Amino acid sequence: MPPRVGVQIRPNHVNWDEMAAAWRYADEAGADSIWTFDHFFPIDGDPDGTAFECWSTLAAMASVTSRAQIGPLVTCTGFRNPDLLADMARTVDHASGGRLVLGLGSGWLERDYQSYAFAMSRDADRIREMEAAIYRIRHRLGQLRPGPVGPLPILVGGLGERMTLDVCARLADAWNGWGTPDEIAHLNGVLDRWCERAERDPARVERTVALFETASDSTYDDYAAAGAEHLILVRSGPDYQIEELESLLVWRDARSGA
């Protein structure tokens, strides 16, 4: 299968018009996916800088884009009632013409929880809560009228080998991780083994990797060799510097023979 590429356009340290312009640029350039994140404050640079909320951003960006898949990388299952989150995701899926990927995670930033008065459980408990939320989300998606217009795949993000990857192997359509190519190769192997224990074909779980550092064609090849199927640049405002997306797209097209 040809590799896919995307970009996470973080909604912090930027004004709305600058962020929307970056989304348009990525979509028109040919990115396969465009993502935001689910934090209430910047997670890089000035912690008191500007930031926009995840799902309001996604709903608006659905009309700014027309080609790429869109989604949160990732949304915290502890911030919203799972049934409500399913309804929100279904609605954004319609707004985008069926392009939404529902990226889910267990959360980690204490400031998010404390500032918005959300209870923050222990790490293991939050992963169990995420698993329960996935079941509720899938059930609610089956009850909503109308249902999603697209496939609305569920992606699980995280590096936990004992719990997160187990949940991903059993319940998700895609996984997002990060690290060096060697670390990704190791985590892919762990995920494969969890899939086998669940009697599920490992090929049914797409492997996505977030790239936080500037990379090169040789690095992209290393990630592909490690099992990455979808490389996602991570970029923050105010100057998103997503020109690297163009070189990544050239690499994708060369590998796919386009």
Side-chain angles (χ1 to χ4, degrees), residues 5-239:
V5 302
V7 58
Q8 183 192 56
I9 297 174
R10 289 182 167 180
N12 54 202
H13 306 305
V14 69
N15 65 45
W16 186 265
D17 290 343
E18 291 167 338
M19 183 178 65
W23 278 74
R24 290 190 190 94
Y25 171 86
D27 189 56
E28 292 170 1
D32 295 300
S33 63
I34 310 174
W35 310 80
T36 187
F37 68 28
D38 191 16
H39 295 284
F40 305 116
F41 308 94
I43 61 172
D44 53 38
D46 181 1
D48 294 319
T50 61
F52 292 105
E53 191 274 333
C54 171
W55 282 93
S56 304
T57 296
L58 281 169
M61 293 304 107
S63 64
V64 167
T65 58
S66 61
R67 304 171 183 173
Q69 287 185 304
I70 65 172
L73 196 69
V74 288
T75 197
C76 178
T77 54
F79 293 166
R80 301 165 189 85
N81 174 284
D83 294 270
L84 172 61
L85 181 56
D87 204 344
M88 294 165 62
R90 178 280 308 254
T91 300
V92 173
D93 190 56
H94 276 263
S96 67
R99 293 182 287 122
L100 184 73
V101 178
L102 180 53
L104 301 174
S106 58
W108 60 273
L109 188 63
E110 290 186 15
R111 186 184 182 192
D112 285 333
Y113 287 87
Q114 293 172 354
S115 295
Y116 280 66
F118 294 129
M120 187 175 187
S121 308
R122 297 180 307 163
D123 291 354
D125 289 334
R126 293 200 310 278
I127 295 169
R128 294 187 186 98
E129 291 161 3
M130 177 181 70
E131 178 177 4
I134 293 174
Y135 283 110
R136 284 180 60 182
I137 288 167
R138 289 201 182 278
H139 177 71
R140 178 60 61 183
L141 287 173
Q143 293 182 317
L144 293 171
R145 297 293 180 270
V149 67
L152 217 169
I154 288 178
L155 173 150
V156 166
L159 307 179
E161 298 183 23
R162 291 188 301 108
M163 295 183 69
T164 300
L165 293 183
D166 173 30
V167 172
C168 183
R170 290 184 286 107
L171 301 178
D173 304 294
W175 167 66
N176 181 255
W178 53 93
T180 67
D182 285 344
E183 290 168 337
I184 293 300
H186 169 73
L187 291 167
N188 269 324
V190 174
L191 181 53
D192 285 347
R193 290 190 288 276
W194 278 119
C195 287
E196 291 162 2
R197 292 183 190 181
E199 298 183 346
R200 190 175 182 208
D201 181 358
R204 294 183 59 189
V205 182
E206 182 184 19
R207 315 305 167 95
T208 80
V209 174
L211 302 179
F212 292 93
E213 304 294 335
T214 298
S216 64
D217 288 2
S218 60
T219 308
Y220 303 149
D221 287 337
D222 290 341
Y223 278 109
E229 300 169 296
H230 192 156
L231 299 180
I232 302 170
L233 301 177
V234 176
R235 292 293 179 264
S236 191
D239 181 2

